[in-house]
């Protein structure tokens, strides 16, 4: 395994432009279930249905009984060693930034600065009619007191989370992420099954690829380095190799 860590560190050091694409496996060590592991959300219900824009608008009672529970759960978590290692790598200039599918805000909490949140975030909500923005707790208070769907105080329109649901259009940050990957030399994928489209196309745009994931992904076969191990431990080892030189 140390030889894979060293190969990864070498590729990072010699690449001009390095971005990291993170998924739910990045945050399981912070106590947030992913979608597709045995203990993931899929064991309870289908997130593609639960976090679906058509369900949110057409059957809000179901949305606020299922998908909303995932969103609500994410606001009080803390970053883990892997998030901190990535923030350190950015500070030291080893990586340029992070593209995250996660909606838990943990990269920002750990101190990362350049973050493309391609699936939105759980910090805020907005009104579908007038566009006014508000913190998540405004929506949470309404939902918890039985106001479903929650409505805007300004115009009475429907309030919704800033999270990108299944069936939503991708935000502008996704186009920026594609641009960043296309103009860089290396993409490091951490903790993603690479099964959610269109984010799972990003590895195809990368010149070089490192995968750090507990289980195999569809991109393993065209990657330069594949490490099937935990995100926190592996990223700390890669950061040590980058900053202290290599250990054999
Ligand atoms: P996924 O559940 O499809 O895949 C997660 C992958 O991470 C799996 O292949 C699993 O083997 C791996 N993994 C789990 N724990 C790991 C660890 N400690 N170290 C390394 N690998 C680990 O998740 P996805 O590909 O991100 O797609 C699911 C979608 O739902 C994404 O949009 C995702 O971000 C979102 N989601 C977000 C959160 C969050 O914000 N924390 C949580 C659940 C789902």
């Amino acid at each position: 395994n140390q030889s894979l860590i060293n190969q990864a560190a070498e590729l990072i050091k010699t690449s001009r432009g390095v971005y990291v694409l993170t998924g739910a496996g990045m945050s399981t060590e912070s106590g947030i279930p992913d979608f597709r592991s045995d203990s993931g959300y899929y064991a309870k219900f289908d997130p593609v249905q639960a976090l679906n824009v058509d369900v949110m608008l057409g059957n809000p009672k179901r949305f606020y009984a299922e998908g909303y529970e995932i969103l609500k759960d994410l606001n009080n978590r803390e970053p883990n060693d892997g998030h901190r290692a990535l923030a350190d790598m950015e500070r030291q200039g080893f990586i340029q930034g992070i593209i995250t599918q996660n909606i838990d805000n943990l990269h920002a909490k750990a101190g990362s600065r350049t973050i493309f949140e391609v699936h939105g975030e759980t910090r805020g909500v907005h009104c579908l009619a007038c566009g006014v923005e508000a913190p998540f707790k405004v929506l949470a208070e309404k939902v918890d007191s039985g106001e479903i769907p929650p409505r805007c105080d300004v115009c009475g329109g429907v309030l919704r989370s800033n999270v990108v649901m299944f069936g939503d259009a991708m935000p502008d940050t996704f186009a920026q992420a594609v641009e960043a990957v296309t103009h860089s030399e290396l993409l490091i994928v951490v903790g993603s099954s690479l099964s959610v489209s269109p984010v799972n196309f990003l590895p195809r745009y990368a010149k070089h690829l490192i995968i750090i994931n507990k289980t195999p992904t569809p991109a393993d076969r065209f990657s330069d380095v594949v490490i099937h191990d935990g995100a926190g431990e592996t990223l700390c080892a890669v950061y040590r190799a980058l900053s202290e030189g290599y250990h054999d």
Side-chain angles (χ1 to χ4, degrees):
N1 196 312
Q2 189 58 45
S3 117
L4 290 175
I5 299 284
N6 292 348
Q7 281 176 44
E10 180 66 23
L11 195 50
I12 294 169
K13 274 194 170 163
T14 54
S15 296
R16 265 178 303 154
V18 181
Y19 281 86
V20 181
L21 169 63
T22 64
M26 180 80 225
S27 296
T28 52
E29 294 166 44
S30 292
I32 302 172
D34 63 9
F35 274 0
R36 291 173 182 79
S37 295
D38 290 344
S39 55
Y41 284 114
Y42 266 105
K44 281 201 251 169
F45 47 69
D46 179 355
V48 179
Q49 288 302 314
L51 286 171
N52 191 296
V53 65
D54 296 324
V55 176
M56 183 179 71
L57 299 176
N59 187 353
K61 284 214 161 23
R62 178 179 175 186
F63 176 82
Y64 284 100
E66 293 183 349
Y68 172 68
E69 292 302 313
I70 301 178
L71 307 183
K72 203 168 70 166
D73 198 33
L74 296 181
N75 281 319
N76 310 312
R77 303 300 181 134
E78 292 305 322
N80 61 54
D81 288 345
H83 294 102
R84 283 186 282 272
L86 288 178
D88 287 338
M89 285 186 212
E90 183 184 3
R91 221 172 280 124
Q92 304 290 326
F94 292 119
I95 65 171
Q96 273 56 59
I98 291 171
I99 300 156
T100 188
Q101 301 173 82
N102 295 344
I103 51 178
D104 55 27
N105 202 32
L106 295 186
H107 288 300
K109 276 192 185 168
S112 287
R113 282 174 293 214
T114 304
I115 309 166
F116 299 102
E117 291 176 311
V118 293
H119 284 166
E121 36 81 15
T122 47
R123 296 180 298 274
V125 303
H126 63 276
C127 171
L128 284 171
C130 72
V132 73
E133 302 266 343
F136 184 80
K137 76 170 187 339
V138 169
L139 178 143
E141 280 165 13
K142 290 173 187 287
V143 171
D144 294 346
S145 69
E147 188 183 326
I148 294 173
R151 293 205 172 264
C152 171
D153 290 332
V154 180
C155 77
V158 173
L159 284 178
R160 64 157 290 177
S161 162
N162 292 345
V163 167
V164 177
M165 309 285 165
F166 289 97
D168 269 327
M170 290 299 275
D172 292 346
T173 48
F174 182 65
Q176 293 161 13
V178 171
E179 179 85 4
V181 172
T182 313
H183 290 98
S184 61
E185 285 192 345
L186 172 63
L187 183 68
I188 308 171
V189 178
V190 184
S192 175
S193 65
L194 293 174
S195 47
V196 176
S197 163
V199 170
N200 61 353
F201 301 147
L202 286 174
R204 286 284 181 190
Y205 304 136
K207 289 182 191 67
H208 292 284
L209 201 56
I210 296 173
I211 306 272
I212 300 170
N213 202 61
K214 275 197 172 159
T215 52
T217 82
D220 288 6
R221 65 188 170 79
F222 55 89
S223 296
D224 297 80
V225 183
V226 178
I227 303 177
H228 288 155
D229 213 338
E233 193 190 331
T234 306
L235 289 170
C236 288
V238 170
Y239 180 57
R240 266 198 310 277
L242 284 167
S243 43
E244 296 168 5
Y246 305 151
H247 305 278
D248 285 318

